[in-house]
Amino acid sequence: MNIGLFGGSFNPIHNGHVRLAKALLQEAGLDEVWFMVSPQNPFKQNQQLLDDDKRFRLVQIALKDEPHLKACDFEFNLPKPSYTWNTLQALQEAYTDDQFTILIGGDNWAAFDKWYRYEDILQRYPIVVYPREGSEIKVTGYEYPPTPNTQHPTPVPNIKIVKTPLINISSTQIRQRIQAGKSVRGLVPTGVAMVLEQEHLYR
């Protein structure tokens, strides 16, 4: 299978995540999209996260009626912080018959050269880049391997840009609404809203 890896803290998951993953599934021609719940993002080490297991359970609840979208806790058992390269290597060993495609937003693509072993990722794995508000996606000006002083950069291999809807919901917005005592129904899946309310999460 061709599996898209949709990584994130999902702190918490919301309707925008689900809508985007469904669009990526179609636009990128994937068999499944795995929501790779990260225990610790290398670029957000100071962020206050809900417990790993609780965030993962909320993702499971959100995706229970989406047969091609899967909650994945694979990184929970890997060393922290979780780097994409390490995750890909471990996944390839565990799922030898599957192809993994990285799904990232334009903002992450703009900072891709800061990722751990980004050159190896570019060389070995397909990457699908989707638009994010305020982020311009540039691919032709990025090259692998880099050539000093070149005036004609080589197009990046294995990169596909897709058109997906711009999502106007954020996990930060959800947390802020909860802390202000406001409802998040309609912004998160119904089952997720129920758990957030019943367990007083993010209050």
Side-chain angles (χ1 to χ4, degrees):
M1 288 195 301
N2 189 356
I3 298 167
L5 299 179
F6 186 23
S9 300
F10 303 110
N11 189 40
I13 189 171
H14 53 68
N15 287 339
H17 291 134
V18 179
R19 183 183 175 197
L20 177 58
K22 292 171 77 170
L24 288 167
L25 187 76
Q26 298 300 319
E27 292 293 328
L30 302 167
D31 297 304
E32 291 183 350
V33 170
W34 288 6
F35 282 59
M36 184 67 67
V37 183
S38 174
Q40 182 177 336
N41 184 321
F43 298 108
K44 298 180 181 179
Q45 293 192 38
N46 295 321
Q47 183 183 30
Q48 295 298 312
L49 295 178
L50 195 67
D51 289 348
D52 294 350
D53 292 338
K54 290 181 180 179
R55 288 183 291 116
F56 178 66
R57 181 163 63 94
L58 291 175
V59 174
Q60 287 181 306
I61 292 168
L63 305 182
K64 66 182 180 65
D65 295 322
E66 302 289 346
H68 299 289
L69 307 182
K70 309 291 184 182
C72 182
D73 61 356
F74 191 84
E75 286 190 333
F76 288 6
N77 298 313
L78 298 179
K80 297 179 182 180
S82 51
Y83 291 106
T84 298
W85 171 256
N86 295 339
T87 299
L88 288 166
Q89 295 304 287
L91 281 169
Q92 210 67 75
E93 289 183 11
Y95 302 93
T96 55
D97 294 331
D98 295 316
Q99 168 69 57
F100 292 99
T101 296
I102 304 166
L103 309 175
I104 61 173
D107 52 345
N108 278 323
W109 173 250
F112 193 74
D113 61 349
K114 296 179 176 64
W115 286 32
Y116 175 65
R117 296 190 65 168
Y118 73 96
E119 301 100 331
D120 294 316
I121 297 174
L122 278 172
Q123 188 178 34
R124 302 187 189 184
Y125 293 94
I127 299 176
V128 169
V129 185
Y130 57 88
R132 292 292 298 269
E133 190 71 45
S135 296
E136 183 179 0
I137 300 174
K138 295 182 179 180
V139 169
T140 55
Y142 194 104
E143 60 175 355
Y144 178 84
T147 303
N149 303 319
T150 181
Q151 295 183 354
H152 301 285
T154 305
V156 182
N158 298 330
I159 304 295
K160 180 177 183 180
I161 299 175
V162 296
K163 293 182 179 180
T164 56
L166 290 172
I167 307 300
N168 238 357
I169 308 173
S170 72
S171 295
T172 300
Q173 174 190 1
I174 302 299
R175 296 194 302 272
Q176 290 173 343
R177 289 185 65 87
I178 292 173
Q179 290 163 6
K182 298 179 180 179
S183 172
V184 295
R185 289 183 178 269
L187 299 175
V188 300
T190 302
V192 171
M194 292 176 61
V195 172
L196 292 174
E197 293 170 3
Q198 292 169 359
E199 300 186 12
H200 306 289
L201 300 179
Y202 297 106
R203 293 188 184 277

